[in-house]
Amino acid sequence: MLSMLIAGLLSASPDAPADTRVWPATLAEVIAATSEGDWRRPDPQHLLYLDLASGERVVIELAPQFAPEHVANIQTLARSGFYDELPIVRSQDNYVVQWGDPDGKRDQGEAAATLAAEFSRSSKDAPVFTQLTDGDVYAPEVGFVDGYPSARDPASNELWLAHCYGMVGVGRDEAIDSGNGSELYVITGHAPRHLDRNVTLVGRVLQGMEALSSLPRGSGAMGFYEDGQSRPLIRQLRLTADVPEAERIDLQVLRTDGDAFDAVIKARRHRREPWFHTPTGKVELCNVPLPVRIVD
Amino acid sequence: MLSMLIAGLLSASPDAPADTRVWPATLAEVIAATSEGDWRRPDPQHLLYLDLASGERVVIELAPQFAPEHVANIQTLARSGFYDELPIVRSQDNYVVQWGDPDGKRDQGEAAATLAAEFSRSSKDAPVFTQLTDGDVYAPEVGFVDGYPSARDPASNELWLAHCYGMVGVGRDEAIDSGNGSELYVITGHAPRHLDRNVTLVGRVLQGMEALSSLPRGSGAMGFYEDGQSRPLIRQLRLTADVPEAERIDLQVLRTDGDAFDAVIKARRHRREPWFHTPTGKVELCNVPLPVRIVD
């Protein structure tokens, strides 16, 4: 938390040198023009490796700045091996993939059984909110916080994560405090923004989405796999901090509080690639790419 | 065209009995409360059966009211067997699936080799536009025309189809008249609305989306399948009118110009299911479901 505060102070400092770089027009050119300082390495304590039995790996970044209690519980569950060899129980077309303990019989160790909802947080003392000025159907203000698509209500000072493609949330029953992170879902379709502030979002997939989004759809109601359909298996789900260094992927994420990301937004708002005939001049929250790269 | 005009006149008639039905609150209840007249059967001349080698069937409705020349060309191509045994060449995560003739060597028979773009049409003399009052990031007005998510600009009197999940479009090169329907794509991800008015859209998938959306992603640039990846094959693509009656599916589509569809929109704008804690009171164009049912 201390380092977050210091970073916030630094970026707001009037003494910080102005970024005078001139950015090119297309996304590919913007990415090519970035320098090392435009990127950050996620904290391995807040990074999950979801390894599927198929051999594919999905990397998820957790958002303790939005859902500290849920993130802590997921860390506890991951450390105890709770998720290992659990099935993916649901794949609903244009909606979500979800995994969990279908019988609810697995020992959850030290983890809390239920948690108070963390649907939103205060926008006061929050990390930098890079506002998108293009408008939004669902929220008064939208933008990006630490790489997460987010929404904000200046009337209530609420700040919350938005259900864009690749966001990770906590399954719950009807009671709003009935989730604890033992059931997680990932958005695999058009952003179901009506779920915003109805579920606790805990992070987003940084890499490997296609391993989840291309899973066969479940034939049951809400995309649950039915008897006779084989459920894809999770081999293990670990915190990156618990993975030997040699097995880690050196992932970097473009900072969303800097000039490089502003250039990304502009490149997507006005598409300058010669293929485009009628640039829209607008970009919607969930259509802004959140660049991730692997350093060899 | 005549029948379309007559239907338009009838629905606008002051003598038509007012629909006094009281609609329930949730989508499932609304669908259950519909009656036969709320549904329409697509014209078999404008319906495609895309049968994959895997045995799965995708049903596509074509939109001649938006792209008459492209639809006619696709009908010609389908009748000549052009699409049969073509590969799906591309599956890009969170974007599109696309098929076509990778070598460009297949005989296209009587079909036009290129066509003028049909990116938009006049909103004058257009079928009923059921406007969505929730706003939109990309267009001044959005709504539904004959079951298609659409956008409209009252300043220019333009009306166009919107790139929502499941919409079908015509691949093209840089020149805007370089497409002819021999390469078709289907949106499989979050609505890429920046493509609106940059590509000719020709219809939407009514059934079988999961057969396309769950295809393995291509590992090449833009999701093209690379050497070594097997391309999914199209067994045949036929106009329903050319399919023996016994092999046809009796699909019905909810009319989007009536009270039942208004009730669908309301049910999605204010989610009344007890699971929802914070209804948004808004619904975005591509999140409005377009109900389809199979009559046994």
Side-chain angles (χ1 to χ4, degrees):
Chain A
M1 196 60 199
L2 184 63
S3 62
M4 199 181 297
L5 285 170
I6 290 171
L9 289 170
L10 281 177
S11 69
S13 163
D15 299 328
D19 189 331
T20 55
R21 289 177 288 180
V22 176
W23 292 94
T26 69
L27 179 63
E29 292 166 344
V30 168
I31 298 298
T34 57
S35 52
E36 195 62 25
D38 297 316
W39 300 82
R40 64 178 174 88
R41 281 193 171 78
D43 181 344
Q45 293 288 349
H46 299 142
L47 211 55
L48 299 175
Y49 287 172
L50 168 63
D51 292 324
L52 301 177
S54 63
E56 292 165 296
R57 172 170 288 179
V58 181
V59 182
I60 294 167
E61 185 175 14
L62 296 170
Q65 60 277 65
F66 283 89
E69 298 301 325
H70 284 78
V71 165
N73 223 41
I74 290 167
Q75 289 170 316
T76 301
L77 289 165
R79 287 227 154 94
S80 76
F82 169 79
Y83 300 103
D84 300 346
E85 294 177 35
L86 278 183
I88 292 176
V89 295
R90 177 185 184 197
S91 172
Q92 183 171 358
D93 195 54
N94 193 25
Y95 199 42
V96 297
V97 154
Q98 187 169 329
W99 61 87
D101 178 10
D103 307 314
K105 289 182 179 166
R106 192 174 282 213
D107 182 17
Q108 300 193 1
E110 303 296 309
T114 61
L115 289 171
E118 293 176 302
F119 296 164
S120 66
R121 56 159 286 167
S122 169
S123 60
K124 295 176 182 170
D125 305 316
V128 174
F129 182 83
T130 302
Q131 195 171 344
L132 192 65
T133 57
D134 303 68
D136 186 66
V137 168
Y138 291 96
E141 295 179 353
V142 290
F144 299 89
V145 173
D146 288 341
Y148 296 101
S150 308
R152 196 168 67 169
D153 185 347
S156 64
N157 289 317
E158 272 180 294
L159 173 69
W160 62 94
L161 292 172
H163 276 84
C164 294
Y165 187 82
M167 292 295 286
V168 182
V170 168
R172 66 164 173 88
D173 296 327
E174 259 186 45
I176 62 170
D177 64 351
S178 55
N180 77 334
S182 58
E183 293 243 354
L184 294 172
Y185 66 88
V186 178
I187 302 300
T188 57
H190 185 77
R193 296 281 309 282
H194 53 282
L195 298 180
D196 291 3
R197 284 188 289 177
N198 282 286
V199 202
T200 299
L201 286 169
V202 292
R204 72 172 173 107
V205 172
L206 297 185
Q207 203 198 24
M209 260 309 288
E210 63 280 7
L212 300 175
S213 59
S214 65
L215 288 174
R217 279 38 176 167
S219 57
M222 298 167 66
F224 280 92
Y225 292 112
E226 292 182 303
D227 293 345
Q229 288 191 298
S230 67
R231 290 166 166 162
L233 270 187
I234 293 171
R235 187 163 65 81
Q236 55 182 355
L237 192 159
R238 292 172 294 174
L239 283 176
T240 304
D242 297 334
V243 172
E245 293 249 7
E247 293 177 39
R248 295 187 198 172
I249 308 162
D250 191 7
L251 271 184
Q252 294 187 354
V253 178
L254 195 73
R255 299 177 62 96
T256 52
D257 59 353
D259 292 278
F261 189 66
D262 282 344
V264 166
I265 293 172
K266 288 192 179 83
R268 285 286 150 149
R269 181 182 289 139
H270 298 282
R271 297 294 289 255
R272 304 295 189 197
E273 295 89 347
W275 185 89
F276 281 87
H277 169 71
T278 308
T280 59
K282 295 277 185 178
V283 64
E284 186 257 335
L285 178 69
C286 298
N287 272 328
V288 176
L290 295 160
V292 173
R293 69 179 184 183
I294 298 175
V295 182
D296 284 329
Chain B
M1 198 59 200
L2 185 64
S3 64
M4 198 180 297
L5 285 171
I6 290 171
L9 289 170
L10 282 176
S11 69
S13 162
D15 298 328
D19 190 330
T20 56
R21 288 177 288 179
V22 176
W23 292 95
T26 70
L27 179 63
E29 292 166 344
V30 168
I31 298 298
T34 57
S35 52
E36 195 62 24
D38 297 316
W39 301 81
R40 65 180 173 86
R41 282 193 171 78
D43 181 345
Q45 293 288 349
H46 299 142
L47 212 54
L48 298 175
Y49 287 171
L50 167 64
D51 291 324
L52 301 177
S54 63
E56 292 166 294
R57 171 170 289 177
V58 181
V59 182
I60 294 168
E61 185 175 14
L62 296 170
Q65 60 278 63
F66 284 89
E69 299 300 324
H70 284 78
V71 165
N73 223 42
I74 290 167
Q75 289 170 316
T76 301
L77 288 165
R79 287 227 153 94
S80 77
F82 169 79
Y83 300 103
D84 301 346
E85 294 178 37
L86 278 183
I88 292 175
V89 294
R90 177 185 184 195
S91 173
Q92 183 171 357
D93 195 55
N94 193 26
Y95 198 41
V96 297
V97 154
Q98 188 168 330
W99 62 88
D101 179 10
D103 307 313
K105 290 183 178 164
R106 192 174 281 214
D107 182 15
Q108 300 194 1
E110 303 295 309
T114 61
L115 289 170
E118 294 176 302
F119 295 167
S120 66
R121 54 158 288 165
S122 169
S123 60
K124 295 177 181 170
D125 305 318
V128 174
F129 183 83
T130 302
Q131 194 171 344
L132 193 65
T133 57
D134 303 68
D136 186 67
V137 168
Y138 291 97
E141 295 179 354
V142 290
F144 299 89
V145 173
D146 288 342
Y148 295 101
S150 308
R152 196 167 68 169
D153 185 347
S156 63
N157 289 316
E158 272 181 294
L159 174 69
W160 61 94
L161 293 172
H163 277 82
C164 293
Y165 186 82
M167 292 295 286
V168 182
V170 169
R172 67 164 173 87
D173 296 327
E174 259 187 46
I176 62 169
D177 63 352
S178 56
N180 76 335
S182 58
E183 292 243 355
L184 294 172
Y185 65 88
V186 178
I187 302 300
T188 57
H190 185 77
R193 296 282 309 283
H194 54 282
L195 298 180
D196 290 4
R197 285 189 290 177
N198 281 287
V199 203
T200 299
L201 286 170
V202 292
R204 72 172 173 107
V205 172
L206 297 185
Q207 203 197 25
M209 260 311 287
E210 63 281 7
L212 299 175
S213 58
S214 65
L215 288 174
R217 278 38 174 166
S219 57
M222 298 167 66
F224 280 92
Y225 292 112
E226 292 182 302
D227 294 344
Q229 288 192 298
S230 67
R231 290 166 165 161
L233 269 187
I234 293 172
R235 187 162 65 82
Q236 54 182 355
L237 192 160
R238 292 172 294 173
L239 283 176
T240 304
D242 297 334
V243 172
E245 293 248 9
E247 292 176 39
R248 296 187 196 170
I249 307 162
D250 191 7
L251 271 186
Q252 295 187 353
V253 178
L254 195 73
R255 299 177 61 96
T256 52
D257 58 354
D259 292 279
F261 189 65
D262 282 345
V264 166
I265 293 172
K266 287 191 180 85
R268 284 286 151 147
R269 182 182 288 137
H270 298 281
R271 297 293 291 256
R272 304 296 188 197
E273 295 89 346
W275 185 88
F276 281 88
H277 169 69
T278 309
T280 58
K282 296 277 185 180
V283 64
E284 186 258 337
L285 179 69
C286 298
N287 272 328
V288 176
L290 295 160
V292 173
R293 68 179 184 184
I294 297 175
V295 183
D296 284 330

